[in-house]
Amino acid sequence: MAYLEINDLHTHFTKRSGNPFSSKVETIRAVDGVSLKVEKGEILGLVGESGCGKSTLSRTVMQLIRPTSGSITLDGSKLSDLRSSEIRRRRLDFQMIFQDPYASLNPRMTVFGALAEAVKQRHPDSKGNALATRVSELMETVGLDPRLQRKYPHEFSGGQRQRIAIARALAPEPKLVIADEPVSALDVSIQSQILNLLKQLRADLDLTMIFISHDLGVVRYLADRIVVMYAGKLVEEGEAEALFRNPQNDYTQKLLSAIPSMASSAH
């Protein structure tokens, strides 16, 4: 069995019609029958334009949104069958990195406070020197000087804040990391640094990763395999280089034609 298996997953939302005199309810099929597997230690690239459903899919995998139907199995455990309390405990094994690190970090909490809080999710009795040492190790792991740990998020650059967000995601010692557009808000030179960091972390920590982006060039540099999503469905899947050399789907070809020069600058 693959480390993560998604089988016929549907995540639908309902909203009332825009007509105030109508009681009609519209169904939005954000994720519409997605099945895929992610192997242990693999980086899977999930690509598609804004609104295609990729962020909803990631949040459904994280169980931040419960699926309408279908199943998600992580390391042999069917997440969709677990109670909310059990999901919170299991979520230590799968963490998320968001697009905007400033929005996802508490502005009133120092870096030490944010990372210590995350460490204590896995090790609630951690304190004193052991906790301080672990926070310093996390900062060094993501390329930050531990002497900066008493600073607040607003005192860092965008790239540094994303490194802090990555350190916080790593703090509970997850096996699966879902990175949702983690470099799209950064300039190209900083994007390269973060991509190289993620590559190194995968190698050092044996992480399994889903990397979500609208930019195929970025995903090509990082991912072993790519799946392309359009209108809630997966329309193409393949090894990264094979998909680039011979895309089968018209939508994939359109995405490829729009690639900027990011891939070359990441090397």
Side-chain angles (χ1 to χ4, degrees), residues 1-44:
M1 178 178 276
Y3 186 67
L4 174 69
E5 288 198 8
I6 299 170
N7 185 46
D8 196 23
L9 193 70
H10 295 256
T11 304
H12 299 171
F13 304 102
T14 55
K15 71 170 189 176
R16 297 186 70 84
S17 163
N19 182 347
F21 302 105
S22 170
S23 60
K24 190 175 179 182
V25 173
E26 180 185 350
T27 298
I28 300 164
R29 301 174 184 274
V31 177
D32 196 19
V34 167
S35 296
L36 63 87
K37 296 180 180 182
V38 185
E39 300 295 338
K40 188 94 174 72
E42 178 180 34
I43 297 180
L44 178 77

Side-chain angles (χ1 to χ4, degrees), residues 81-108:
D81 288 351
L82 300 180
R83 294 190 302 272
S84 295
S85 57
E86 185 66 13
I87 284 291
R88 281 195 293 275
R89 192 181 68 77
R90 281 305 309 272
R91 198 173 280 137
L92 297 177
D93 293 331
F94 49 102
Q95 292 288 307
M96 197 157 185
I97 302 165
F98 295 94
Q99 177 177 353
D100 182 355
Y102 195 65
S104 67
L105 294 169
N106 185 338
R108 291 180 295 279

Side-chain angles (χ1 to χ4, degrees), residues 93-220:
D93 293 331
F94 49 102
Q95 292 288 307
M96 197 157 185
I97 302 165
F98 295 94
Q99 177 177 353
D100 182 355
Y102 195 65
S104 67
L105 294 169
N106 185 338
R108 291 180 295 279
M109 193 175 274
T110 63
V111 173
F112 177 85
L115 297 185
E117 179 183 70
V119 168
K120 287 167 81 71
Q121 290 176 6
R122 175 74 73 179
H123 304 288
D125 296 330
S126 184
K127 58 188 176 186
N129 287 340
L131 183 59
T133 298
R134 180 61 183 141
V135 168
S136 294
E137 287 172 353
L138 282 164
M139 291 193 73
E140 289 173 345
T141 296
V142 298
L144 290 173
D145 187 336
R147 290 175 296 183
L148 303 176
Q149 63 186 261
R150 297 295 174 182
K151 291 182 176 290
Y152 290 86
H154 73 270
E155 299 180 84
F156 293 88
S157 68
Q160 288 174 320
R161 283 198 290 265
Q162 194 57 285
R163 288 174 186 267
I164 295 164
I166 292 169
R168 190 182 60 178
L170 296 176
E173 300 163 29
K175 300 294 186 291
L176 172 70
V177 171
I178 299 176
D180 188 1
E181 299 270 13
V183 298
S184 62
L186 306 174
D187 68 48
V188 170
S189 62
I190 305 301
Q191 284 187 23
S192 304
Q193 294 174 20
I194 297 299
L195 291 176
N196 286 327
L197 171 62
L198 291 174
K199 244 186 176 180
Q200 190 62 48
L201 291 172
R202 189 266 290 265
D204 292 347
L205 304 176
D206 193 28
L207 288 175
T208 304
M209 194 179 300
I210 298 175
F211 184 91
I212 299 168
S213 180
H214 62 278
D215 185 341
L216 262 167
V218 167
V219 173
R220 180 186 194 179

